[in-house]
Amino acid sequence: GAVNIVTRRAGGGALARAGGEVSHLWGRELRFEHSLDLGRIGWTVSGGHLEQPAWPLASTFAPTAYERGPLRANSDKTLDHVALAVAVRLTARQSLSVTAWLFDGARGMSPSTLDDRPRFWRFTVWRALNVQAAHRWEGETVSVDTLAWARNFDNLLDAYDNGLYLSQTTPRAFSSWYHD
């Protein structure tokens, strides 16, 4: 089913909306957004949360030693996100905007159904952060856009001993941190 709530007429006033979904296997997603223009200043704030416990395998999937089904092993994921954008009209010809967003989640990497040495890996941390500022100057025939930004990516890949994803004691277990 679906619920649609309209909080404003097109083109006028503040926008506020929220939504959610529930999918098979009790996956869920919640989202929100709010934006408003007040003269020379405008902003948008948004965010959400997503959880997917597992992906189902096709009914025609032939079980293997590493994947017995009916759910794909280690196929879960979570994701949280939030964003903020603010724009200011400084003069008739100049504007400034600042934007920031963050994605933060974790996800499993399903083991191979064919490899005789299956890997039991997970992205325990899967994160991206962006911050940027932009300036725009508009002339009679030319406009100039200037953008400064910084991004940070953090990914922690953990390898586990077996399909329980609890221990990291054998030589095949490791942690690998990617930070950029």
Side-chain angles (χ1 to χ4, degrees), residues 32-55:
F32 73 90
E33 180 182 6
H34 167 69
S35 63
L36 182 63
D37 283 324
L38 292 174
R40 296 179 5 195
I41 298 173
W43 67 80
T44 299
V45 179
S46 63
H49 174 76
L50 167 74
E51 284 184 46
Q52 181 65 47
W55 292 101

Side-chain angles (χ1 to χ4, degrees), residues 139-152:
E140 294 297 326
T141 58
V142 175
S143 63
V144 177
D145 292 306
T146 307
L147 175 68
W149 54 269
R151 290 192 178 128
N152 178 32

Side-chain angles (χ1 to χ4, degrees), residues 4-10 16:
N4 183 20
I5 300 173
V6 178
T7 60
R8 69 175 181 143
R9 293 176 194 236

Side-chain angles (χ1 to χ4, degrees), residues 75-166:
S75 65
D76 62 303
K77 70 177 175 181
T78 61
L79 179 63
D80 294 306
H81 60 93
V82 64
L84 170 65
V86 177
V88 179
R89 174 67 75 180
L90 301 171
T91 67
R93 295 181 178 256
Q94 294 187 70
S95 60
L96 177 68
S97 64
V98 177
T99 304
W101 51 256
L102 171 68
F103 290 92
D104 190 10
R107 65 184 311 125
M109 295 179 62
S110 301
S112 171
T113 59
L114 306 174
D115 191 349
D116 61 351
R117 293 201 50 192
R119 298 181 178 111
F120 303 105
W121 294 0
R122 295 186 60 75
F123 277 105
T124 309
V125 174
W126 187 82
R127 183 177 304 133
L129 170 67
N130 177 72
V131 178
Q132 65 188 44
H135 177 265
R136 180 174 183 93
W137 177 83
E138 300 170 11
E140 294 297 326
T141 58
V142 175
S143 63
V144 177
D145 292 306
T146 307
L147 175 68
W149 54 269
R151 290 192 178 128
N152 178 32
F153 297 97
D154 281 317
N155 297 300
L156 176 59
L157 178 63
D158 281 319
Y160 293 89
D161 299 321
N162 56 43
L164 297 176
Y165 301 94
L166 297 174

Side-chain angles (χ1 to χ4, degrees), residues 17-73:
R17 73 174 142 205
E21 296 179 25
V22 175
S23 63
H24 63 285
L25 304 174
W26 294 105
R28 36 197 182 275
E29 182 176 6
L30 300 171
R31 328 173 266 291
F32 73 90
E33 180 182 6
H34 167 69
S35 63
L36 182 63
D37 283 324
L38 292 174
R40 296 179 5 195
I41 298 173
W43 67 80
T44 299
V45 179
S46 63
H49 174 76
L50 167 74
E51 284 184 46
Q52 181 65 47
W55 292 101
L57 291 166
S59 59
T60 58
F61 177 77
T64 68
Y66 308 116
E67 185 66 76
R68 293 185 186 92
L71 303 178
R72 188 74 169 100

